[in-house]
Amino acid sequence: MTKILIVGGGYAGLYTARGLERLLGAAEAEITIVDPLPYMTYLPFLPEVAAGSIEPRHAVVSLRRHLSRTKVIEAKVTYVDHAAKQATIQPELGEAWTMDYDVVVMTAGSVSRTFPIGGVADEAIGMKTIEEAVAVRDRLLGNFAKAAALPAGPERDRLLTVAVVGGGFAGIETIAELRDLATHLLSRFREIAFEDVRFHLIEAMPRIMPEVSGPTAEWVVEDLRKRGVDVHLETQLQSAVDGVCELSTGERFASDLIIWTAGVMANPVVRQTDLPLDERGRITALATLQVARDGVVVPDAWTAGDVSAVPDKSKTPGPGGFCVPNAQHAVRQAKLLAKNVVATLRGESPREYVHDNLGAVAGLGIGNGVFQSGKIAIKGPLAWIAHRGYHGLAMPMWERKLRVFGGWWNNFWLGRDIVELSEREHPRRSFETFASRPKTNA
């Protein structure tokens, strides 16, 4: 049997494994997927998770439930020696061990890309994992509760100030959804007025959302400003030490919630391999999704998703001529990757990945959104419906789709759930406080 190792259980890893399960017989291949987490996260839903519109567990997909023949190992891959076709596996507990394989698929995804700005590593939080989205929601809700009990002053202002760094899709959707949540909370926290809550969007470029047209991007900026968001274009965050944001314009403000969405980079795990990388740390590949060194195929090595530098063969190629790191490419690449792996194993030729972008859609809070396809732009409620329809159906697995749509339906009738559970981070605190302890001798 051919031993296939998939490194990473995100979009590309999950869809590759499912494709291989469908195309290969049980006696043809042994498929193993290694990831520290037992689930795939649907990243486009993170802003809605942060805003309380989607339950966190509904935005993730269990690998074990939906991969019937694939062996799932919850561990880190610390090194891949493709020359020897061996991978070093480090579980959370116990010693590292070595796994032999015949074919490796690198789909380790991406992580937040940051810069050496003082205070960011200590004070900021990303929007790249389900845990971060939940923490952002609980922090915003908790800060409203704390601020409601305080008199006017610097500490109250700090609690009610949110800063989002990065004006791409992730940053725009995050700040729009959180602004929408904050406006909703005003009816529950009557001690807080609209003008007490400050939202800052910090973007280094002169415009936001490069995936949409200039007029559409300008409409989004104006829409955010009307809703009380301070949009800082051509502005850089220079410091966030102790939660005090210092901007390149000279403006300073304190924030208890600084969210970093200014780009992603390939998962650094790929640096612990003997596979070829480009200057940005991505695995170099052909359009067939085969790993390649200087245009020459590295046998039995494949890659897809954010961790790879795949040539973009579409009519409108991404920056540098490569596919941009997004879910749309990762899913489609993975489906083709599975077919190409099987074709190669059976002596057939792999096909090249070609996908033309059909458009971009973003949610800007309940009842508001933006859609762009070519020169066609739709704004407002219709775009919001298109956003929910597209992503609801794009969510992997029907049981997950139904949970998401069911949650939206419940919220339509019952309203937004604003319970925060930040104490889940300290589940034993209450028990420890009141637990009886053995008496000690005087």
Side-chain angles (χ1 to χ4, degrees), residues 74-407:
E74 291 182 47
K76 295 180 180 179
V77 174
T78 57
Y79 191 76
V80 174
D81 182 356
H82 189 62
K85 291 192 174 179
Q86 291 184 330
T88 303
I89 312 298
Q90 178 62 66
E92 185 176 357
L93 300 175
E95 299 295 326
W97 50 281
T98 301
M99 173 187 293
D100 296 323
Y101 64 81
D102 298 307
V103 176
V104 68
V105 178
M106 299 296 297
T107 54
S110 59
V111 299
S112 295
R113 180 193 64 183
T114 59
F115 305 105
I117 301 172
V120 167
D122 301 314
E123 303 291 340
I125 186 170
M127 188 58 71
K128 198 75 175 64
T129 69
I130 195 71
E131 294 81 7
E132 288 174 328
V134 173
V136 165
R137 176 178 180 271
D138 283 344
R139 176 69 66 86
L140 183 64
L141 291 168
N143 283 356
F144 261 71
K146 294 174 184 176
L150 290 175
E155 180 61 17
R156 192 174 192 265
D157 293 341
R158 183 182 68 85
L159 291 170
L160 295 176
T161 299
V162 178
V164 176
V165 184
F169 260 71
I172 296 302
E173 289 190 299
T174 296
I175 200 165
E177 291 285 356
L178 292 180
R179 175 69 262 189
D180 193 51
L181 171 60
T183 301
H184 172 77
L185 291 177
L186 296 177
S187 64
R188 308 298 179 184
F189 293 89
R190 294 179 177 83
E191 306 88 344
I192 301 173
F194 181 87
E195 55 272 16
D196 294 336
V197 185
R198 301 294 303 275
F199 277 79
H200 296 269
L201 176 69
I202 305 164
E203 169 54 47
M205 302 300 291
R207 58 160 292 177
I208 62 170
M209 302 171 73
E211 297 88 348
V212 304
S213 67
T216 300
E218 291 173 4
W219 180 87
V220 173
V221 169
E222 290 306 311
D223 180 73
L224 291 174
R225 285 174 171 159
K226 289 177 183 177
R227 294 159 60 187
V229 176
D230 292 322
V231 181
H232 307 269
L233 299 178
E234 296 186 90
T235 304
Q236 296 178 352
L237 177 67
Q238 295 188 326
S239 175
V241 175
D242 296 328
V244 178
C245 296
E246 298 183 11
L247 309 185
S248 56
T249 57
E251 185 174 352
R252 299 173 79 254
F253 55 84
S255 172
D256 193 57
L257 182 53
I258 304 171
I259 305 169
W260 183 275
T261 65
V264 297
M265 67 178 185
N267 192 322
V269 69
V270 300
R271 300 171 191 169
Q272 306 303 316
T273 73
D274 58 353
L275 298 173
L277 307 178
D278 69 0
E279 67 280 358
R280 295 178 59 184
R282 301 173 299 181
I283 298 175
T284 55
L286 302 181
T288 55
L289 306 173
Q290 294 167 290
V291 176
R293 180 178 278 106
D294 299 325
V296 179
V297 170
V298 176
D300 302 319
W302 303 78
T303 187
D306 295 359
V307 81
S308 62
V310 177
D312 191 343
K313 298 287 187 175
S314 68
K315 297 176 183 177
T316 55
F322 296 101
C323 296
V324 297
N326 63 25
Q328 193 175 132
H329 280 306
V331 170
R332 288 169 172 79
Q333 287 174 3
K335 291 179 179 180
L336 177 63
L337 191 155
K339 295 177 182 177
N340 281 351
V341 169
V342 174
T344 303
L345 291 176
R346 295 175 179 172
E348 302 170 5
S349 299
R351 294 189 293 112
E352 290 190 339
Y353 173 74
V354 181
H355 172 66
D356 286 313
N357 190 353
L358 300 178
V361 62
L364 303 176
I366 294 178
N368 194 16
V370 62
F371 169 79
Q372 179 89 47
S373 180
K375 296 182 179 180
I376 300 174
I378 302 175
K379 312 174 187 75
L382 285 179
W384 176 74
I385 293 172
H387 170 265
R388 284 205 160 177
Y390 172 79
H391 285 296
L393 293 175
M395 179 72 188
M397 314 311 157
W398 274 104
E399 63 97 5
R400 291 286 121 173
K401 299 180 203 291
L402 293 175
R403 292 179 196 273
V404 169
F405 279 110

